[in-house]
């Protein structure tokens, strides 16, 4: 079975003016065929996220008219704009809406669901989206919309802004993408306002960004990130936040948006596999955005010199939102407008910078979490997640059911590139159930095709083994397919085990349950509101690769050696003491690892040469 949402890399989509004109031409034909006598452009199947959608199609028609001057469009724009202003602008408070600061303000807003009180919690972001659609129509209104209608729309846009920033709590869902989108709406609105009012709205937007978004950033993997639904990053909404930061910088020129976008972009580059697969976040563990992410990934990928477009998006939403029948939906329509307006081209080469939380070369990558434990390993087109044993998750030695990967002190990292090899040595202090402090050293070496991992630790009691990952997915053309196996070899005996117990908290990779489904089932709150990362943390056991120790290791050490991906020769690994350090010889390289205590500054020492 294939994963539903992770498909082709976003930078594979043509982004020439001609390609975008073809997209707009298709939208125009669909819209003109759909336009009702009342002026409604909503998709017939649209129920949720509806409040901005007709206006979103209107904005695309207005933008298309500016580019093509299609004589059919002025009437369609006029009728559909009138429909939105007449039928989709609400001023009476939605029954049950919990985030008001001022009741009965009379300020306009957009509804997530049209029925009164049916689902009011989504009204704040829907109003952000409506504001953005409105300012996009205003941007394209010259010569298309008469002065009276334009003034009415501007007044509604003012009201949306005031509803979002005065009558309600700001960012009530703690969603960075929504909050930054609101700031962008204010900045774009200011361009249509008279001098003093424009200055006030712009200042308010910048103040909200500094005080309500930037000041509450959450740290993950060494980066300060806009919080997304209560977490540091979400693989669906995080890249959308990046697009909003790109637009904020494009229209304001404020360096703060470029600085924070660069930080988020470097973080995404470090956590994203070379093949573009990613998972994790407080809302959607495997769902991916698509056109909503293009602007940010392209804009900041060019700024930091990284191929962020390798990110696998949802091809069904490649250009704009669609419904199940493939018909266009106006939701998030401004992102298509903005990416057409932006002339940045994709940067397609990997970054040459060394990243603490990433090892990447050719078709091999390792994304590390904040504890410098692998979060995703990629080799030969297969993706390995941290395995679970006794409710402990990660990669590392297991002794008596206890997983050694959680650091008890500072984690040290050393990166080396030489002889066509890329390597990372991670040294971390760990404590087992016996309360003995040991130094765990994990060496990751790749030639771009295979990944060698060696792990050494002061001798452990009992019969330890290395928890070496959960094979989960593999590339299948422009799709990602579930798997329960991978091309892996070890010097010690290697086993692929599956949970003996049944239940959602015992994840068997051979089943048709996806990681996303299991994570939501284990989350405390309903799907769409629960935190799947938190839910997944409750996993008790999983399918796992287990490797026994290397024979003939030094007496004071347990050593493990695993190779992910193909090899031109059988895997070999010999470990020998070299003074206070250790020499590791494999069929592909020789590495000298220094004393675990490090150099004079405690930093690990590593030398490497190819065989």
């Amino acid at each position: 079975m294939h994963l539903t949402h992770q498909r082709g890399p976003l930078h594979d989509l043509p982004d020439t003016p001609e390609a975008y004109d073809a997209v707009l031409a298709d939208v125009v034909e669909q819209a003109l065929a759909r336009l009702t006598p009342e002026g409604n452009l909503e998709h017939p199947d649209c129920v949720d996220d509806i409040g901005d959608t007709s206006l979103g199609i209107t904005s695309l028609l207005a933008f298309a008219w500016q580019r093509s001057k299609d004589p059919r469009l002025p009437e369609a724009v006029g009728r559909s704009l009138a429909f939105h202003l007449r039928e989709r602008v609400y001023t009476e408070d939605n029954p049950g809406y919990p985030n008001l600061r001022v009741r009965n303000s009379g300020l306009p807003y957009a509804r997530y669901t049209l029925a009164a009180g049916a689902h009011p919690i989504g009204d704040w972001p829907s109003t952000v989206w409506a504001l953005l659609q409105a300012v996009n129509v205003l941007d394209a209104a010259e010569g298309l919309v008469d002065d009276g209608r334009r003034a009415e729309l501007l007044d509604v846009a003012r009201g949306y802004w005031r509803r979002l920033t005065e009558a309600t709590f700001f960012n009530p869902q703690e969603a960075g993408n929504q909050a930054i989108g609101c700031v962008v709406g204010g900045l774009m609105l200011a361009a249509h306002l008279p001098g003093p009012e424009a200055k006030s709205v712009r200042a308010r937007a910048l103040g909200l960004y500094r005080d309500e978004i930037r000041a509450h950033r959450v740290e993950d993997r060494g980066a300060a990130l806009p919080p997304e639904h209560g977490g540091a990053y979400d693989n669906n909404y995080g890249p959308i936040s990046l697009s909003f930061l790109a637009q904020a910088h494009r229209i304001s020129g404020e360096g703060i948006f470029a600085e924070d976008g660069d930080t988020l972009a470097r973080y995404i580059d470090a956590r994203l596999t070379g093949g573009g697969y990613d998972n994790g976040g407080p809302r959607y563990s495997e769902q991916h955005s698509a056109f909503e992410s293009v602007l940010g990934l392209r804009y900041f990928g060019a700024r930091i010199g990284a191929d962020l477009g390798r990110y696998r998006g949802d091809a069904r939403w490649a250009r704009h939102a669609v419904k199940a029948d493939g018909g266009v939906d106006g939701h998030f329509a401004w992102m298509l407008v903005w990416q057409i307006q932006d002339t940045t081209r994709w940067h397609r080469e990997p970054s040459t910078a060394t990243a603490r939380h990433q090892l990447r070369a050719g078709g091999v990558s390792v994304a590390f979490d904040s504890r410098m434990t692998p979060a995703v390993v990629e080799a030969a087109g297969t993706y390995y997640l941290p395995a679970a044993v006794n409710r402990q998750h990660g990669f590392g030695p297991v002794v008596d059911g206890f997983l050694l990967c959680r650091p008890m002190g500072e984690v040290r990292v050393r990166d080396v590139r030489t002889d066509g090899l890329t390597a990372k040595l991670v040294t971390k202090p760990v404590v087992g159930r016996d309360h003995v402090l040991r130094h765990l050293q994990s060496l990751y070496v790749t030639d771009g095709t295979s990944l060698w991992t060696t792990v050494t630790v002061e001798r452990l009691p009992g019969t330890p083994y290395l928890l070496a990952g959960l094979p989960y997915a593999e590339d299948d053309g422009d799709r990602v397919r579930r798997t329960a196996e991978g091309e892996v070899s070890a010097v010690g005996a290697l086993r692929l085990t599956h949970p003996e117990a049944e239940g959602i908290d015992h994840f068997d990779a051979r089943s048709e349950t996806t990681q996303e489904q299991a994570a939501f089932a284990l989350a405390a709150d309903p799907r769409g509101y629960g935190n799947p990362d938190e839910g997944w943390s409750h996993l008790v056991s999983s399918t796992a690769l287990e490797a026994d120790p290397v024979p003939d290791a030094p007496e004071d050490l347990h050593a493990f050696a695993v190779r992910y991906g193909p090899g031109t020769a059988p895997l070999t690994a010999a470990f020998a003491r070299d003074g206070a350090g250790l020499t590791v010889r494999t069929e592909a390289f020789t590495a000298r690892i220094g004393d675990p205590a490090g150099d004079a500054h405690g930093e690990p020492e590593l030398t490497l040469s190819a065989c």
Side-chain angles (χ1 to χ4, degrees):
M1 59 178 289
H2 290 105
L3 298 182
T4 305
H5 303 283
Q6 300 215 25
R7 305 200 181 198
L10 290 177
H11 64 204
D12 288 351
L13 294 168
D15 59 355
T16 62
E18 293 77 16
Y20 279 130
D21 282 338
V23 173
L24 284 175
D26 177 61
V27 170
V28 165
E29 295 307 321
Q30 288 193 54
L32 293 178
R34 178 186 302 169
L35 185 64
T36 68
E38 297 78 22
N40 188 354
L41 286 170
E42 292 159 2
H43 191 284
D45 294 338
C46 191
V47 176
D48 296 341
D49 274 318
I50 192 172
D52 70 305
T53 62
S54 183
L55 188 60
I57 299 293
T58 302
S59 75
L60 291 175
L61 297 181
F63 184 63
W65 183 81
Q66 292 289 350
R67 291 169 68 88
S68 69
K69 295 299 187 289
D70 185 330
R72 301 173 298 170
L73 296 181
E75 180 186 1
V77 168
R79 285 169 55 194
S80 59
L81 178 56
F83 169 81
H84 178 83
L85 294 172
R86 183 180 68 248
E87 302 290 343
R88 294 295 181 259
V89 177
Y90 294 84
T91 56
E92 294 182 0
D93 294 348
N94 200 351
Y97 184 69
N99 300 315
L100 290 175
R101 299 178 63 187
V102 179
R103 292 186 61 194
N104 302 316
S105 67
L107 292 170
Y109 68 95
R111 285 186 176 174
Y112 177 79
T113 301
L114 297 183
H119 194 93
I121 196 69
D123 289 355
W124 199 87
S126 288
T127 303
V128 174
W129 312 151
L131 171 61
L132 291 168
Q133 312 287 23
V135 293
N136 269 346
V137 173
L138 290 170
D139 283 352
E142 185 176 353
L144 180 63
V145 178
D146 66 65
D147 291 344
R149 190 70 77 191
R150 181 187 177 281
E152 185 180 359
L153 178 61
L154 179 59
D155 192 53
V156 167
R158 279 191 180 101
Y160 286 153
W161 172 252
R162 292 188 58 201
R163 166 72 71 157
L164 294 165
T165 59
E166 298 174 21
T168 67
F169 288 94
F170 183 79
N171 191 21
Q173 295 185 23
E174 299 182 15
N177 76 96
Q178 299 172 8
I180 305 171
C182 181
V183 167
V184 171
L187 294 172
M188 295 184 70
L189 173 64
H192 295 279
L193 300 174
E197 187 181 3
K199 184 176 180 180
S200 174
V201 169
R202 180 184 172 93
R204 176 68 169 148
L206 294 174
L208 285 169
Y209 183 76
R210 288 192 303 268
D211 301 337
E212 300 295 336
I213 302 172
R214 197 170 200 262
H216 295 92
R217 288 180 298 173
V218 180
E219 186 167 296
D220 184 47
R221 309 184 195 192
L225 309 170
E228 190 52 66
H229 289 283
Y233 174 85
D234 183 281
N235 71 346
N236 182 25
Y237 292 114
I240 297 176
S241 284
L242 192 65
S243 286
F244 283 127
L245 287 169
Q247 181 67 1
H249 184 242
R250 288 183 65 241
I251 61 176
S252 73
E254 294 286 340
I256 192 171
F257 299 119
E259 178 183 343
D260 292 355
D262 288 350
T263 297
L264 178 54
R266 291 191 180 98
Y267 170 88
I268 293 174
D269 187 39
R271 71 170 287 145
L272 192 62
T273 61
Y277 171 82
D278 186 21
N279 78 307
R283 283 295 289 269
Y284 295 108
S285 280
E286 287 179 346
Q287 289 192 31
H288 270 46
S289 53
F291 82 100
E292 314 100 309
S293 303
V294 166
L295 174 64
L297 295 171
R298 195 173 67 193
Y299 188 84
F300 284 105
R303 280 185 56 89
I304 69 170
D307 57 335
L308 297 185
R310 69 186 189 275
Y311 177 98
R312 287 182 180 268
D314 189 334
R316 298 166 304 172
W317 281 40
R319 299 301 194 177
H320 47 66
V322 298
K323 290 301 182 186
D325 64 357
V328 63
D329 182 354
H331 188 50
F332 263 56
W334 63 85
M335 285 295 190
L336 176 57
V337 174
W338 298 346
Q339 63 177 270
I340 295 175
Q341 292 173 332
D342 179 47
T343 58
T344 306
R345 299 277 70 85
W346 286 112
H347 181 97
R348 298 179 181 275
E349 299 299 320
S351 171
T352 58
T354 298
R356 176 180 173 89
H357 295 90
Q358 179 194 59
L359 175 74
R360 183 185 174 200
V364 172
S365 65
V366 184
F368 295 87
D369 64 17
S370 290
R371 303 179 302 186
M372 288 306 298
T373 297
V376 185
V377 169
E378 171 196 19
T382 299
Y383 303 99
Y384 304 84
L385 303 180
V389 57
N390 294 336
R391 290 188 172 86
Q392 304 159 92
H393 299 202
F395 291 74
V398 177
V399 57
D400 192 25
F402 189 85
L403 172 61
L404 293 168
C405 71
R406 294 171 298 281
M408 185 63 69
E410 192 65 28
V411 180
R412 309 287 186 138
V413 177
R414 178 67 183 271
D415 289 279
V416 172
R417 291 177 180 172
T418 185
D419 293 345
L421 301 172
T422 303
K424 187 183 294 285
L425 174 65
V426 177
T427 302
K428 64 172 75 171
V430 295
V431 174
R433 283 202 173 102
D434 57 7
H435 289 203
V436 174
L437 180 69
R438 294 177 172 87
H439 291 88
L440 183 69
Q441 291 194 296
S442 301
L443 174 64
Y444 305 88
V445 181
T446 181
D447 60 1
T449 300
S450 299
L451 172 70
W452 289 263
T453 300
T454 68
V455 178
T456 55
V457 63
E458 288 97 328
R459 185 157 287 270
L460 298 163
T463 54
Y465 65 87
L466 182 72
L467 193 66
L470 157 64
Y472 178 69
E474 62 185 1
D475 291 337
D476 183 22
D478 62 352
R479 300 292 301 274
V480 178
R481 182 175 59 193
R482 282 289 308 283
T483 189
E485 57 188 14
E487 193 171 1
V488 183
S489 54
V491 173
L494 181 68
R495 299 174 296 278
L496 180 63
T497 65
H498 303 285
E500 295 181 0
E502 296 183 357
I504 198 66
D505 53 352
H506 299 278
F507 188 81
D508 191 326
R510 297 170 299 180
S511 74
E512 292 191 357
T513 300
T514 65
Q515 188 265 351
E516 177 187 0
Q517 291 168 334
F520 268 116
L522 291 166
D525 296 306
R527 182 179 179 86
Y529 303 95
N531 182 339
D533 274 4
E534 182 183 358
W536 188 250
S537 71
H538 298 309
L539 195 69
V540 176
S541 66
S542 74
T543 292
L545 288 161
E546 301 175 356
D548 284 344
V550 170
D552 303 324
E555 290 185 358
D556 60 335
L557 290 179
H558 269 118
F560 307 86
V562 175
R563 183 178 67 201
Y564 302 84
T568 57
L571 172 63
T572 60
F575 297 78
R577 278 297 182 194
D578 186 354
L582 187 72
T583 296
V584 181
R585 289 185 174 87
T586 74
E587 78 283 5
F589 63 86
T590 298
R592 186 187 184 281
I593 301 172
D595 186 335
D599 61 15
H601 301 285
E603 296 302 323
E605 296 178 286
L606 173 66
T607 58
L608 184 70
S609 61
C611 293

